[in-house]
């Protein structure tokens, strides 16, 4: 591909899942777009000098350029003109102006008056455009100078500030932290003008933000589950026992990911959030059965044993069907392997431990409530 003259070739590996930023992103902030454009070029040069970085690019998109008219205010004042009136004349000459409207078949059609397309074929013809003044008509070139300047197709913004992003990818086997450290040391040597700053982020920053937001979702999910359980059981102790079953899935998650040599990825974290709503089901079924046995007059310990025996098969079958439903994701796409392993392994271990931990905790925490109720009767 290097043999193609004048071509800029970028080779990138396509990946499934949500889009993420480049491994290294340097964001240059400032109010003056020209100044941050210059600094962005300096940053690109620094990144090109860092070993192991490839596909270095920026978010600038240049257009073909634009003609800029600079008004000579002294001459404009002599003719009794201001910038607004000159700009309005230029716009009307090129784009036309609405003169009136006509109603045709119930629809208003604008009547636009403008020069013929053949009137302005080059910039010199536009310079000779006559501007009507109080002292007579004068060509535009008498009161304004024109030049062709480069321009940006778009200007990026982040949090309301002008920003240019310079991104870079790493070659295979390159340590990202070492590359970041080398770039950080070099970019500190830049003499930044006042009001301009550089922030370094990238893929790691995006991943960290995703994990933080997902962890916050997990906390909210646990709070909502606890709130519903308190209303359902009209108790604080029994929901506490149910919530305690959530950590029982974590050893299964770690064991499953380790045995299958999968990383603790973002989809795996999503699987943990999903487990928060799945694991509690077994404990809910078990405690509900214990409560019903006690309400029917069965002795405390015997009620716990009977509930465990009678609900063992439904709990195992429910867990097995859930695991069977999630396992196909492991073979569907490598992105979702972490999620399927997390849910399957976490639920499998949590199901076994729930049948042991919940009866023990119920017997130790709720015994006094049973004795108090039994004595009142």
């Amino acid at each position: 591909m290097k043999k193609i003259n004048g071509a800029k070739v970028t080779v990138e590996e396509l990946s499934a899942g949500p889009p993420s930023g480049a491994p290294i992103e340097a964001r240059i902030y400032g109010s003056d777009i020209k100044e941050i454009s210059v600094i962005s070029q300096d940053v690109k040069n620094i990144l090109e000098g860092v070993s192991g970085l490839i596909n270095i690019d920026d978010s600038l998109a240049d257009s073909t350029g634009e003609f800029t008219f600079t008004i000579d205010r002294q001459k404009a004042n002599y003719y009794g003109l201001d910038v607004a009136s000159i700009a309005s004349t230029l716009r009307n000459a090129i784009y036309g102006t609405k003169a009136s409207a006509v109603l045709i078949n119930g629809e208003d059609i604008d009547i636009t008056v403008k020069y013929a397309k053949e009137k302005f074929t080059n910039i010199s013809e536009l310079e000779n455009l006559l501007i009507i003044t109080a002292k007579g008509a004068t060509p535009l070139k008498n009161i304004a100078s024109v030049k062709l300047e480069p321009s940006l197709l778009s200007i990026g913004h982040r949090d309301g500030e002008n920003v240019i992003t310079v991104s870079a990818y790493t070659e295979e086997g390159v340590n990202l932290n070492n590359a970041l450290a080398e770039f950080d040391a070099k970019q500190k040597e830049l003499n930044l003008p006042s009001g301009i700053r550089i922030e370094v982020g990238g893929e790691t920053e995006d991943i960290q933000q995703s994990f933080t937001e997902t962890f916050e979702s997990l906390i909210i999910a646990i709070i909502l589950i606890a709130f519903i359980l308190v209303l359902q059981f009209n108790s604080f102790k029994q929901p506490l026992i149910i919530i305690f079953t959530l950590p029982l899935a974590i050893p299964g998650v770690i064991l499953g990911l380790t045995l299958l040599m999968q990383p603790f990825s973002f989809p795996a974290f999503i699987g943990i959030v999903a487990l928060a709503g799945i694991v509690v089901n077994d404990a809910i079924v078990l405690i509900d059965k214990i409560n019903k046995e006690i309400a029917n007059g069965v002795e405390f310990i015997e009620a716990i044993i009977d509930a465990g025996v009678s609900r063992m098969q439904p709990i195992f079958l429910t867990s097995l069907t859930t695991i069977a439903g999630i396992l196909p994701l492991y073979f569907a796409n490598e992105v979702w392997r972490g999620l399927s392993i997390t849910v399957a392994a976490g639920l499998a271990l949590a199901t076994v431990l729930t049948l042991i931990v919940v009866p023990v905790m119920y017997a130790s925490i709720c015994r006094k409530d049973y004795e108090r109720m039994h004595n009142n009767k």
Side-chain angles (χ1 to χ4, degrees):
M1 303 292 277
K2 292 182 179 179
K3 297 179 180 179
I4 304 176
N5 294 328
K8 180 182 179 182
V9 180
T10 302
V11 180
E12 295 182 8
E13 180 182 1
L14 297 179
S15 59
S20 60
I24 297 179
E25 284 187 355
R27 294 186 288 268
I28 302 97
Y29 294 88
S31 57
D32 191 329
I33 193 66
K34 292 183 178 180
E35 286 187 344
I36 62 176
S37 298
V38 174
I39 299 299
S40 69
Q41 187 59 48
D42 294 337
V43 172
K44 285 183 68 177
N45 295 335
I46 293 175
L47 287 172
E48 289 171 354
V50 177
S51 57
L53 297 185
I54 58 174
N55 292 346
I56 299 166
D57 200 3
D58 57 44
S59 59
L60 287 173
D62 295 330
S63 69
T64 54
E66 61 184 10
F67 288 104
T68 302
F69 288 85
T70 304
I71 307 299
D72 188 327
R73 295 183 181 275
Q74 186 175 358
K75 291 181 179 180
N77 291 336
Y78 172 78
Y79 287 102
L81 298 171
D82 55 22
V83 175
S85 61
I86 298 172
S88 176
T89 302
L90 265 173
R91 179 174 179 79
N92 292 339
I94 298 174
Y95 297 104
T97 182
K98 180 181 175 181
S100 183
V102 61
L103 185 65
I104 299 178
N105 296 329
E107 183 179 357
D108 287 331
I109 306 297
D110 292 338
I111 300 175
T112 302
V113 179
K114 61 180 180 179
Y115 285 97
K117 293 182 179 179
E118 299 79 15
K119 175 65 177 177
F120 304 111
T121 57
N122 54 62
I123 193 62
S124 61
E125 293 178 353
L126 192 60
E127 288 182 291
N128 292 321
L129 176 68
L130 294 178
I131 306 295
I132 306 302
T133 72
K135 297 183 179 182
T138 181
L140 177 62
K141 62 183 178 182
N142 288 349
I143 55 176
S145 60
V146 62
K147 60 181 178 179
L148 180 64
E149 293 184 347
S151 63
L152 297 175
L153 191 62
S154 63
I155 300 175
H157 291 82
R158 187 183 179 98
D159 297 330
E161 294 184 84
N162 294 331
V163 63
I164 296 176
T165 303
V166 181
S167 59
Y169 291 80
T170 55
E171 293 179 346
E172 186 176 357
V174 173
N175 188 292
L176 178 60
N177 291 329
N178 293 340
L180 279 171
E182 184 178 349
F183 167 70
D184 189 57
K186 291 182 178 181
Q187 67 98 4
K188 287 181 178 178
E189 299 175 0
L190 289 175
N191 294 321
L192 297 179
S194 176
I196 293 181
R197 72 182 193 279
I198 298 177
E199 291 183 359
V200 180
E203 188 178 53
T204 305
E205 180 186 41
D206 293 340
I207 293 173
Q208 182 62 39
Q209 181 180 0
S210 298
F211 272 97
T212 301
E213 293 174 350
T214 308
F215 181 76
E216 293 172 353
S217 301
L218 176 61
I219 299 300
I220 294 174
I222 293 174
I223 293 174
L224 292 175
I225 291 171
F227 179 75
I228 295 172
L229 292 176
V230 169
L231 294 178
Q232 178 69 31
F233 289 97
N234 194 27
S235 167
F236 288 100
K237 293 181 179 180
Q238 295 180 9
L240 178 63
I241 298 172
I242 296 172
I243 294 297
F244 188 79
T245 61
L246 295 178
L248 301 179
I250 302 300
V253 172
I254 297 174
L255 184 63
L257 293 174
T258 303
L259 290 177
L260 295 173
M261 294 181 292
Q262 294 293 318
F264 187 74
S265 59
F266 181 66
F269 202 176
I270 295 178
I272 291 179
V273 178
L275 279 174
I278 300 174
V279 170
V280 296
N281 292 337
D282 296 339
I284 291 173
V285 170
L286 189 55
I287 290 180
D288 182 65
K289 179 61 176 177
I290 295 174
N291 292 338
K292 288 181 178 179
E293 292 283 349
I294 293 175
N296 291 332
V298 181
E299 194 271 330
F300 184 72
I301 297 299
E302 186 179 348
I304 296 176
I305 296 173
D306 289 346
V309 173
S310 62
R311 286 293 178 261
M312 182 180 297
Q313 183 179 2
I315 287 175
F316 273 124
L317 288 176
T318 302
S319 298
L320 285 175
T321 54
T322 304
I323 293 171
I326 201 71
L327 275 182
L329 276 180
Y330 180 86
F331 305 98
N333 193 302
E334 63 179 8
V335 174
W336 302 112
R337 285 181 180 176
L339 185 145
S340 62
I341 295 172
T342 298
V343 174
L347 181 59
L349 183 61
T351 299
V352 176
L353 294 179
T354 295
L355 291 170
I356 301 171
V357 173
V358 170
V360 172
M361 290 189 65
Y362 192 97
S364 60
I365 294 177
C366 299
R367 180 184 291 275
K368 290 183 178 180
D369 293 336
Y370 169 79
E371 292 175 351
R372 188 182 305 112
M373 182 182 66
H374 186 73
N375 292 333
N376 291 335
K377 290 183 178 180

